[in-house]
Amino acid sequence: MSILSVYLASSLFVVTLVWFLFGRKKGKLEKLLMCWWAFSGLTHLVLEGYFVFSPEFFKDNTSCYLAQVWKEYSKGDSRYAGRDSAVIAVEGITAVIEGPASLLAVYAIAKGKTYSYVLQLAISLGQLYGCLVYFITAFLEGDNFATSSFYYYSYYIGANGWWVLIPLLISYRCWNKICEAATNGVETKMKKKIR
Amino acid sequence: MSILSVYLASSLFVVTLVWFLFGRKKGKLEKLLMCWWAFSGLTHLVLEGYFVFSPEFFKDNTSCYLAQVWKEYSKGDSRYAGRDSAVIAVEGITAVIEGPASLLAVYAIAKGKTYSYVLQLAISLGQLYGCLVYFITAFLEGDNFATSSFYYYSYYIGANGWWVLIPLLISYRCWNKICEAATNGVETKMKKKIR
């Protein structure tokens, strides 16, 4: 239980920091998005990065917090303890590519960069693809990797569900924003021609 | 050898058809892209779709062409014959989502739809993610799934290489096009304010 509290408390700390430090002059939705990308990026980099590059975490007898996290999470999906190659591949891509990219998204929103929407869309689609591979491979192998249905629903479904739901919403929004900009571009060109 | 010839000949037929039927009033690059998406979409839907939904293809004793294709390809990657779950997950996503989406991309380019670039970017990133999972899982499991180095380089590397190289180029182009449109949008807004 204390493992989860540390994660939630440090996430709350990061979110609060981003909200008050970077969020000046920004709308509420943009502030929320910056908090999501900071939280998501640090989870990818720190937690998932540790998992990918620590093949021996299950043998770690020290009280290393990150090893404890994955020992605990493995109750919901034993493939983490068994170093399943599909899980490592997805976590590797998430940690190495999507982690830094998420932090870049915080910066892009803060500075109002033109690549902000397309970057957010790309990361969200990557997160969705990762979750699809993660869930489909488990399903194909019998969907029997949790120690109990409590851990199945709270860790395997509950923890990952956020990375399906929120990327879906963000992809939808960014897709529309990008198409709007394209429509405006076409209209501007046509107006120029008419003149 | 005849298996590959049938694939190449029917691909050539599709490409020629798209080039001459849908390509009127279009630039060369757009014609080429439509050909790529038609070829890629049909490969995803027909070839990869057959693989995903035919778990017993290896026992098929008829001369069914699609079964022959996968028996032949398995010489380059035996995980196809062994129904590896990561391979099925990636091929399933490719066949069910990216296949129809690629054909939609042909239509979107032909009709000059505003979602054309963002759709092409999304599919290309999906193809790249799929290839990453495909290659990383093989690497993690010892990278020893080909019957000989000839089949390793021609089938496993050679055939898949195109779906790394071309999506990379298309993603790069679409990303830039989307950012251009966003920049123009910002400029138009600023001009309006100045006026």
Side-chain angles (χ1 to χ4, degrees):
Chain A
M1 208 57 219
S2 69
I3 294 166
L4 192 60
S5 335
V6 173
Y7 179 55
L8 290 179
S10 42
S11 302
L12 196 68
F13 174 73
V14 168
V15 164
T16 318
L17 206 70
V18 172
W19 183 272
F20 287 106
L21 274 186
F22 296 96
R24 285 168 298 180
K25 300 179 197 169
K26 292 282 168 194
K28 263 195 185 164
L29 185 60
E30 276 182 318
K31 275 195 196 178
L32 268 178
L33 283 169
M34 278 194 279
C35 291
W36 162 255
W37 288 120
F39 156 72
S40 196
L42 288 174
T43 302
H44 292 338
L45 268 178
V46 181
L47 278 191
E48 299 175 69
Y50 170 83
F51 166 74
V52 172
F53 297 104
S54 307
E56 305 274 286
F57 82 87
F58 221 70
K59 295 180 191 157
D60 190 310
N61 285 323
T62 65
S63 56
C64 167
Y65 172 71
L66 292 169
Q68 300 297 326
V69 167
W70 291 111
K71 284 181 197 171
E72 183 64 25
Y73 183 77
S74 296
K75 293 179 188 168
D77 188 349
S78 61
R79 296 182 296 168
Y80 277 77
R83 307 272 327 146
D84 178 88
S85 61
V87 166
I88 300 176
V90 167
E91 289 289 12
I93 297 167
T94 308
V96 173
I97 303 177
E98 288 161 21
S102 300
L103 298 184
L104 182 61
V106 180
Y107 169 82
I109 299 174
K111 294 281 178 185
K113 293 285 178 192
T114 48
Y115 60 80
S116 167
Y117 292 127
V118 65
L119 177 65
Q120 290 181 71
L121 175 73
I123 311 169
S124 297
L125 290 178
Q127 290 171 327
L128 288 171
Y129 199 113
C131 285
L132 268 178
V133 172
Y134 180 66
F135 285 124
I136 294 175
T137 47
F139 172 78
L140 289 171
E141 290 173 5
D143 202 15
N144 191 19
F145 298 103
T147 51
S148 76
S149 63
F150 170 76
Y151 289 117
Y152 180 84
Y153 287 106
S154 58
Y155 290 1
Y156 178 70
I157 301 288
N160 293 296
W162 298 104
W163 274 275
V164 174
L165 184 70
I166 298 176
L168 269 179
L169 295 172
I170 295 179
S171 311
Y172 178 75
R173 175 170 183 262
C174 291
W175 183 284
N176 284 338
K177 291 277 183 186
I178 290 168
C179 289
E180 264 174 40
T183 315
N184 291 337
V186 172
E187 280 170 3
T188 315
K189 268 185 196 166
M190 283 173 76
K191 276 180 195 163
K192 277 181 190 164
K193 272 186 189 167
I194 291 165
R195 277 175 198 166
Chain B
M1 209 57 221
S2 70
I3 295 166
L4 192 62
S5 333
V6 172
Y7 179 55
L8 290 181
S10 42
S11 301
L12 196 68
F13 174 72
V14 168
V15 164
T16 318
L17 206 69
V18 172
W19 183 272
F20 287 105
L21 275 186
F22 297 94
R24 284 167 299 179
K25 300 179 197 167
K26 292 280 167 195
K28 262 192 186 166
L29 184 60
E30 278 183 316
K31 275 194 193 180
L32 267 178
L33 283 169
M34 280 195 278
C35 291
W36 163 254
W37 288 120
F39 157 72
S40 195
L42 288 174
T43 302
H44 292 339
L45 268 177
V46 181
L47 278 191
E48 298 175 70
Y50 169 82
F51 166 74
V52 173
F53 296 106
S54 306
E56 304 275 285
F57 81 87
F58 221 70
K59 295 180 189 157
D60 191 309
N61 285 322
T62 64
S63 55
C64 168
Y65 173 70
L66 293 169
Q68 300 296 327
V69 167
W70 291 111
K71 284 182 199 171
E72 183 64 26
Y73 183 77
S74 296
K75 293 180 188 168
D77 188 349
S78 61
R79 296 182 296 168
Y80 277 78
R83 305 246 12 118
D84 178 88
S85 61
V87 166
I88 300 176
V90 168
E91 289 289 13
I93 297 167
T94 308
V96 173
I97 302 176
E98 288 161 21
S102 300
L103 298 184
L104 182 61
V106 180
Y107 170 82
I109 298 174
K111 294 281 177 183
K113 293 284 177 194
T114 48
Y115 60 81
S116 166
Y117 292 126
V118 66
L119 177 65
Q120 291 181 71
L121 176 73
I123 310 169
S124 298
L125 290 178
Q127 291 171 328
L128 288 171
Y129 199 114
C131 285
L132 269 177
V133 172
Y134 180 66
F135 286 123
I136 294 174
T137 47
F139 173 78
L140 289 170
E141 291 174 6
D143 201 15
N144 191 19
F145 297 103
T147 49
S148 75
S149 63
F150 170 75
Y151 289 116
Y152 180 83
Y153 286 107
S154 58
Y155 290 0
Y156 178 70
I157 301 289
N160 293 295
W162 298 104
W163 273 275
V164 175
L165 183 70
I166 298 176
L168 269 179
L169 295 173
I170 294 179
S171 312
Y172 178 76
R173 176 170 182 262
C174 291
W175 182 285
N176 286 338
K177 291 279 181 184
I178 291 168
C179 289
E180 264 175 39
T183 315
N184 290 338
V186 172
E187 279 171 2
T188 315
K189 269 184 196 168
M190 284 173 77
K191 276 182 193 161
K192 277 180 189 166
K193 273 185 190 168
I194 292 166
R195 279 177 198 164

